[in-house]
Amino acid sequence: WGIDGHFIICRIAQARLSNASADAVKQLLPDYAENDLGSLCSWADRVKFRYHWSSALHFIDTPEKLCTYQYSRDCKDANGEKDRCLAGAINNYTNQLLTYSSESTKAKYNLTEALLFLSHFIGDIHQPLHVGFTEDKGGNTIDVHWYTRKTVLHHVWDVSIIDTSEERYYNSNVENLIDTIQQNITGVWADQVEKWENCNSTETTCPNIYASEGIKAACEWAYKGVTEDSVLKDDYFISRLPIVNLRLAQGGVRLAATLNRIFG
Ligand code: DCM
Ligand code: DCM
Ligand code: DCM
Ligand code: ZN
Ligand code: ZN
C-alpha cells in the first residue's frame, strides 16, 4: 500500500485496541507521533534504504500461475535466507513485541521499531499483489494505463484504486473513507469480523492465513483480465474497489486483534 492505505489500516486498528494495548502503543510511539499510530504507519517504507535488509520483508513471492502460498516453499528459504519474507517478518516482530512486559528480555530489541514494522507489515500482507508472482514481481513489471495515466499494476493496487475512490466518493478526504470502512465493520461485515480476528489456533498472529487469502485475491481480482498495456478504467475500478475496501478493513481489524493478543 501507499501512504493512505497504511494510514487507513493503522487508524482502524488503533480505534479497536484494548486498554492494555492502547497503553503499550502509547508508550512505544515516539512523542512526536502524538499517540497517532497512523502517522508512522509508512515509516517502514521510508527506512528501506537505511535498513537495506528490510526491503525484502515487504512482500512474498509465489510461483507463477499456481495461485497458492506455502510458508515452507515461499518464505522458509526465500532468496536463500531463512524466513526473510513478509510472513516471516510478521512472526519475528510479533515475537519481539511479546517481550514487552518482561524486563529481562525486552532490552534485546527496539520495540518501537518492532511496533512500526509489525503495523506496516500486517497492512502489506493484506495488499493482494504483495503476495503475487515471482516472475512479475507482484505486478511491478506489468505496464498498464490507469484511465489515461501510465503506471504498473502493482501501483494500481497500492495507490490508484484508493486515490480514485477518495476523489470520486470522499471529497478527497481520507478521514471520510475511514469513517465509511468503520461503519461497514460494525454494519454489513459485523458477522464476519470475529472470524477475521481469530487465528484458528493458539497463535498470536496468523500471516499464513492472510497470505493465502492474498494470493487468491491477486489471481481472482488483481491479475484477472489484465495483460501488458491493458487500459484499466471504470469496469476494473468499480469491480475491484470492494476488494480493496475489504482488505483494508481486514488489515485494520487483524492488526488490532494481533496487538490485543500481544499486550493482553
Ligand atoms: N530481521 C527481521 N525479520 C526477519 C529477519 C531479520 O526483522 N525475518 C531483522 C532483525 C535484525 C536485522 O534483520 O535487526 C538484521 O539482521 P541480520 O543481522 O541477520 O542481517
Ligand atoms: N530474527 C527473527 N526471526 C527471523 C529472522 C531473524 O527473530 N525469522 C531475528 C533474530 C535476531 C535478528 O533477527 O534478533 C538477527 O537475525 P539472524 O540471527 O537471523 O541474523
Ligand atoms: N514488491 C512486491 N513484490 C516484489 C517486489 C516488490 O510486492 N517481488 C513491492 C514492494 C513495494 C513495491 O512492490 O511496495 C515496489 O517495490 P520496489 O520499490 O522494490 O520496486
Ligand atoms: Zn506495494
Ligand atoms: Zn511496505
Side-chain angles (χ1 to χ4, degrees), residues 214-245:
I215 181 59
K216 200 158 164 277
C219 288
E220 284 178 13
W221 298 101
Y223 287 122
K224 190 159 197 157
V226 176
T227 53
E228 183 72 8
D229 293 325
S230 281
V231 180
L232 306 178
K233 42 191 197 216
D234 275 356
D235 282 353
Y236 192 91
F237 170 66
I238 303 280
S239 55
R240 273 57 173 183
L241 178 58
I243 309 305
V244 169
N245 286 334

Side-chain angles (χ1 to χ4, degrees), residues 53-54 57 71 81-85 87-90 92-93 96 113 117 121:
W53 48 267
S54 72
L57 303 179
Y71 190 88
E81 299 243 50
K82 218 168 136 33
D83 307 315
R84 297 297 167 95
C85 88
I90 288 171
N92 173 32
Y93 290 113
Q96 290 191 15
E113 293 193 353
F117 275 128
F121 291 149

Side-chain angles (χ1 to χ4, degrees), residues 176-214:
N176 295 338
L177 172 52
I178 294 169
D179 285 347
T180 299
I181 294 173
Q182 284 175 322
Q183 280 164 27
N184 288 340
I185 289 170
T186 54
V188 288
W189 293 321
D191 55 343
Q192 303 173 52
V193 166
E194 206 178 318
K195 217 174 140 221
W196 298 349
E197 287 175 323
N198 292 334
C199 278
N200 295 334
S201 68
T202 57
E203 299 293 310
T204 307
T205 188
C206 32
N208 293 337
I209 293 175
Y210 318 151
S212 295
E213 293 171 355

